[in-house]
Amino acid sequence: EPEVTQTPSHQVTQMGQEVILRCVPISNHLYFYWYRQILGQKVEFLVSFYNNEISEKSEIFDDQFSVERPDGSNFTLKIRSTKLEDSAMYFCASRQDTSQETQYFGPGTRLLVL
Amino acid sequence: SQQGEEDPQALSIQEGENATMNCSYKTSINNLQWYRQNSGRGLVHLILIRSNEREKHSGRLRVTLDTSKKSSSLLITASRAADTASYFCATVGYGQNFVFGPGTRLSVLP
């Protein structure tokens, strides 16, 4: 069964550094999402992406964050100048099209900012 | 309270018992979905119920939706130790972005 994959599974970085989290959505899916989950808290929506542009973003998704689909398979989340509070699990999800309401989640990248 | 609030926050039962988790929300929804998360892992989709549906079954799972009360419940029958996980409801508005609740941590004791 096709699945969403994410790399790396774990990332440790120093405060102020930039990180890029990578996702490979399911191949025929058109809608892509990033969520984050701070340890012990709820999963929070960051951004949705369709047709090579952001379709919606939350208050969390400020200028520090950016997303890109650099080729036909990868979907990346870049976090510039990381802060301690960016430490969280970051989940990528994809959805096939408007007729499919289920989002399929990747296993997540655990980011630790020191 | 926030959209997609589950209760209880934690639930501990014996294997073979039924587990019921509830979710309440505030705004209109297109559908509501339940996900499971094993400790430190990703989210696994369990079941989706649309706003015009009242009940849905999938194996040992039964989901109900009461749009007048803006609430949903997830029932897991004949629980197993492998059902131990956190369970989240996610409400989906017409913009198709999910709003997750804080989750219920279910422990099924052998």
Side-chain angles (χ1 to χ4, degrees), chain A residues 41 46 55 106 114:
Chain A
Q41 297 186 26
L46 292 178
S55 45
L114 303 175

Side-chain angles (χ1 to χ4, degrees), chain B residues 4-17:
Chain B
E5 293 282 329
E6 291 96 338
D7 75 86
Q9 291 186 336
L11 180 62
S12 187
I13 58 173
Q14 294 291 325
E15 214 167 19
E17 292 180 341

Side-chain angles (χ1 to χ4, degrees), chain A residues 100-111:
Chain A
Q100 293 292 322
E101 292 125 325
T102 299
Q103 293 184 18
Y104 294 88
F105 283 76
T109 292
R110 186 174 295 283
L111 175 66

Side-chain angles (χ1 to χ4, degrees), chain A residues 34-110:
Chain A
W34 282 102
Y35 294 83
R36 80 170 184 193
Q37 184 182 32
I38 295 170
L39 187 64
Q41 297 186 26
K42 64 172 72 175
V43 177
E44 300 171 291
F45 167 73
L46 292 178
V47 66
S48 58
F49 192 86
Y50 170 72
N51 199 26
N52 281 319
E53 60 182 26
I54 291 173
S55 45
E56 191 166 342
K57 59 184 181 179
S58 71
E59 303 175 336
I60 303 167
F61 194 88
D62 59 21
D63 292 344
Q64 185 194 5
F65 295 88
S66 62
V67 290
E68 195 178 28
R69 187 151 162 85
D71 52 44
S73 59
N74 290 284
F75 179 52
T76 62
L77 174 69
K78 182 188 290 185
I79 310 175
R80 287 179 281 274
S81 189
T82 49
K83 302 177 284 212
L84 297 177
E85 53 265 37
D86 294 327
S87 295
M89 187 78 122
Y90 288 81
F91 293 105
C92 171
S94 69
R95 178 168 67 94
Q96 186 172 2
D97 55 39
T98 52
S99 68
Q100 293 292 322
E101 292 125 325
T102 299
Q103 293 184 18
Y104 294 88
F105 283 76
T109 292
R110 186 174 295 283

Side-chain angles (χ1 to χ4, degrees), chain B:
Chain B
S1 62
Q2 297 182 33
Q3 189 85 338
E5 293 282 329
E6 291 96 338
D7 75 86
Q9 291 186 336
L11 180 62
S12 187
I13 58 173
Q14 294 291 325
E15 214 167 19
E17 292 180 341
N18 296 342
T20 300
M21 289 159 272
N22 302 298
C23 169
S24 60
Y25 58 92
K26 284 192 162 300
T27 62
S28 297
I29 61 170
N30 179 300
N31 64 78
L32 185 147
Q33 304 186 32
W34 285 90
Y35 282 79
R36 185 178 102 170
Q37 183 183 35
N38 287 70
S39 181
R41 306 291 295 276
L43 294 155
V44 175
H45 181 259
L46 294 177
I47 196 166
L48 177 154
I49 187 164
R50 293 187 173 80
S51 59
N52 62 352
E53 296 175 314
R54 292 296 165 259
E55 187 170 314
K56 209 160 180 183
H57 297 252
S58 176
R60 292 185 296 114
L61 305 180
R62 181 170 79 97
V63 169
T64 63
L65 179 64
D66 186 336
T67 52
S68 66
K69 294 181 180 176
K70 291 187 167 56
S71 67
S72 173
S73 68
L74 171 68
L75 168 68
I76 304 174
T77 60
S79 62
R80 306 166 182 166
D83 294 328
T84 294
S86 290
Y87 292 82
F88 296 88
C89 73
T91 53
V92 185
Y94 293 90
Q96 287 292 337
N97 295 325
F98 284 19
V99 178
F100 283 89
T104 293
R105 291 188 311 280
L106 175 65
S107 298
V108 181
L109 307 173

Side-chain angles (χ1 to χ4, degrees), chain A residues 7-20:
Chain A
T7 54
S9 58
H10 294 77
Q11 172 106 40
V12 181
T13 190
Q14 293 289 325
M15 192 168 61
Q17 296 295 304
E18 175 182 287
V19 295
I20 297 176

